[in-house]
Amino acid sequence: MSKTWLRDRGVVSVQGEEAASFLQGLLTNDVEALTVGEARYAALLTPQGKILFDMLVARAPAKVGQSFFVDCAAQQSAELTKRLGFYKLRARVVVADASHAHGVVAAWGAQLAAAPEGFRYVDPRDPRLGLRLILPRETAEAVGDADLPAYESLRVSLGIPKGGVDFAYGDAFPHDADLDLLNGVDFQKGCFVGQEVVSRMKHRGTARKRIVRVTLSGDAPPPGAAVLDGELAVGSLGSSVGREALAMLRLDRVEDAKAAGRPLSAGGVGLVLAE
């Protein structure tokens, strides 16, 4: 088993009698159906359907009412807490940034039963990512991040995007960031913020842009480097580990380049779609 503290993840707590229905009316996924120890990948969108925050939402044990942990980008935990508070109105919920008290650990590979004790759930995006654990902050930090490069390699190899690196918050639709492919959108759950736009994209049947795995011919340029077909921008590079990377690409333009036999590049380094 491998494990790492994810120092770039924060934790928001949502508790109260109406916690489930409160989140249900906002997020892209069905959280009311969650059982204790189960999680869903979800996002909070703008009314125009673009991703403001993506997160893993897990139902936690509660003596009274309902309780959820929201595993989100650490740089966004305070803003997410504020945004959820804006939507709270008279709902009987308490929203708090719990990042000072809790940390997030990922554990994967064999012998997961030996993972640290604490609140745990299977990563809902892909079971090969293993477990996520929400632990007391000091315990999470003590796990350390020596295995973080291995975790990043696994994430990239599975094509799992990271918000703020592989897509820009406030600028990408769920389909662009593969949320529909990673169990992040429930199209049957009823209303949520931005639903009309997301449903329209689904019924259109094709996504214009996607985050896909690519293989580089040399050292990876930094995230954000433009992917080019000659001088025409067809996307941008995201996370990379060695010569494997993720890139958000305009699929139609990539197909045009492929049909014409034109190579793609980023920062002067050639790239092809991964097998």
Side-chain angles (χ1 to χ4, degrees), residues 4-227:
T4 184
W5 169 42
L6 300 176
R7 65 172 66 235
D8 62 346
R9 303 299 291 180
V11 179
V12 172
S13 169
V14 181
Q15 298 180 327
E17 294 178 39
E18 299 177 339
S21 59
F22 170 68
L23 292 173
Q24 184 79 352
L26 296 175
L27 305 182
T28 58
N29 216 332
D30 184 352
V31 298
E32 285 189 325
L34 289 173
T35 58
V36 173
E38 184 183 14
R40 297 268 164 86
Y41 185 38
L44 177 60
L45 310 180
T46 67
Q48 295 75 33
K50 293 190 175 181
I51 302 169
L52 284 176
F53 308 90
D54 70 328
M55 64 203 77
L56 303 179
V57 183
R59 189 184 284 263
K63 293 182 179 179
V64 178
Q66 303 161 345
S67 179
F68 294 86
F69 281 128
V70 178
D71 168 354
C72 64
Q75 64 183 10
Q76 289 195 309
S77 62
E79 183 60 30
L80 176 58
T81 302
K82 181 179 178 181
R83 181 60 63 102
L84 291 175
F86 172 79
Y87 281 115
K88 189 175 75 168
L89 300 177
R90 296 185 180 181
R92 292 191 291 274
V93 296
V94 177
V95 181
D97 186 351
S99 302
H100 64 287
H102 297 90
V104 180
V105 167
W108 68 100
Q111 299 178 339
L112 286 177
E117 290 299 319
F119 179 72
R120 60 175 68 189
Y121 52 90
V122 176
D123 193 311
R125 296 169 296 177
D126 190 312
R128 291 172 291 181
L129 285 171
L131 297 176
R132 304 279 276 211
L133 301 100
I134 295 179
L135 306 174
R137 181 81 183 190
E138 291 184 359
T139 305
E141 291 180 1
V143 170
D145 58 4
D147 284 343
L148 183 59
Y151 177 79
E152 284 296 290
S153 180
L154 175 64
R155 180 181 68 80
V156 170
S157 73
L158 295 175
I160 310 295
K162 178 188 287 189
V165 180
D166 299 303
F167 63 90
Y169 290 115
D171 191 51
F173 293 104
H175 287 75
D176 298 343
D178 297 346
L179 263 74
D180 58 319
L181 304 180
L182 296 171
N183 309 309
V185 183
D186 187 327
F187 293 99
Q188 309 300 321
K189 69 177 281 283
C191 294
F192 57 84
V193 178
Q195 180 196 30
E196 183 177 345
V197 176
V198 176
S199 295
R200 192 160 60 240
M201 293 182 73
K202 173 180 171 58
H203 293 308
R204 192 173 66 191
T206 57
R208 213 167 87 167
K209 292 189 290 186
R210 285 284 191 192
I211 294 175
V212 299
R213 295 171 49 244
V214 298
T215 301
L216 303 165
S217 64
D219 294 338
V227 177

